Amino acid sequence: MNRIFVLIVLISARVPFAQSNNVNYDEAKVPVFDLPDPLILADETPVLSSQIWLEKKRPEILTYFEEQVYGRAPRWEHQITFQIREQQRGALDGTALRRQVRIYLLGSTSGPFIDLLIYLPAGLDKPAPLFVGLNFYGNQTIIDDPAIFLPESWVDNEPEYGITDHKATEASRGVREYRWPVRQILARGYGVAAIYYGDIDPDDEGRFDNGIHPWFYQPGQTHPAADEWGAIAAWAWGLSRAMDYFQLDADIAADRVIVMGHSRLGKTALWAGATDQRFAMAISNNSGCGGAALSKRRFGETVKIINTVFPHWFCDNFNAFNDQEEKLEVDQHELIALMAPRPVYVASAQDDLWADPRGEFLAAQAASPVYQLFGLQGLPTEEMPAVNTPVMGTIGYHIRTGVHDVTLYDWEQFMHFADLHGMNR
Ligand code: GTR
């Protein structure tokens, strides 16, 4: 009863925020703000080389994001174990090798696990590069393949997919196929790996008594400390555990794993790329506030809104910046810069003003000086490009027509960008 009440309050909390006049969609009302310079150390010494960036500035920025924004993930001291539950050569009408792996996160079958679904191009004579991404409703949603195991963890209700009691359903097979063009990706020589994000931490608002967090609590602890991981950091950590597996699978080119995510999972993809340099490339699709969009612009979704509606996504310290973005010592261009010198792609959608497309572009642009330190071109444009006109340096960006979503157009750019950077060599 209580839980239902809390849920209703939280759901209705989204409506006034989204429709409130307080949400700024007017460029003229963007406050004047100073972006932190990624090439100046906290003690004001300039960062003059890629070596100083890597040794001093990068850790400084990463630590700030860890302690004030996403929360620190615990150190990983367990031996990962994995079990190949199923595999089939000739899956998807002969075009794929399908492998389903259960990763035991604490190394024991009695502990928590995540289920990893992998498709690799059939008949490859060398390890395959791959795109890995989290999904919202289970691995079975990304393609209509009856062999995919349904998740066993909590799933958000979605009556349209037949999910009404927080359990994944047969009816949800393939319902998100339009976001995951698996066959096209395979035809381009890339693999696809999927994880249901709720296997790592269910996205049920405000709760920290389920998912991975409790496994790391100190005796008596019931909630992460103010600088400890929220849900986004946990999801990113889960992606790293998949990366642990990729390094052990001889069919996968572990040096060319591309982490991709949409929306809250786009925020997660960027954080995964920042915290785990084994990811060769990161792609943020419509990630917005707390992802690729600059917080200090206060355009569309703001720090206060996101912390109020999704109190479990970031660490508690992040609340100190509600309506006080000017106090942040970093901004999201520096999250993007944490990818350097690895390629990173930011995708916006024209009608997705909530995610602040212009703020996403400006962040990608403001990350460029860090790439230049490495002798690389960051984002090769001064001006925000026209819609459906991607720009690709070592940082790539496009804004496409349409709404908050992942489309085939987006994927075509991601694959092209990956090709440009030799991911499929
Ligand atoms: C929205 C949220 C965004 C974005 C999106 C999603 O409600 O305000 O930050 O993450 O959800 O993940 O679908």
Side-chain angles (χ1 to χ4, degrees), residues 14 136 179 197 203 232 235 262-267 286-291 301 305-306 309-310 313-314 352 354-355 404:
R14 289 189 199 202
F136 289 88
R179 282 191 177 176
Y197 78 146
D203 195 6
I232 291 173
W235 299 327
H262 169 63
S263 207
R264 69 198 69 182
L265 301 179
K267 309 179 208 296
N286 304 181
S287 64
C289 181
E301 187 172 34
I305 296 174
I306 207 164
V309 182
F310 304 103
W313 282 2
F314 299 87
D352 186 21
W354 184 243
H404 185 74

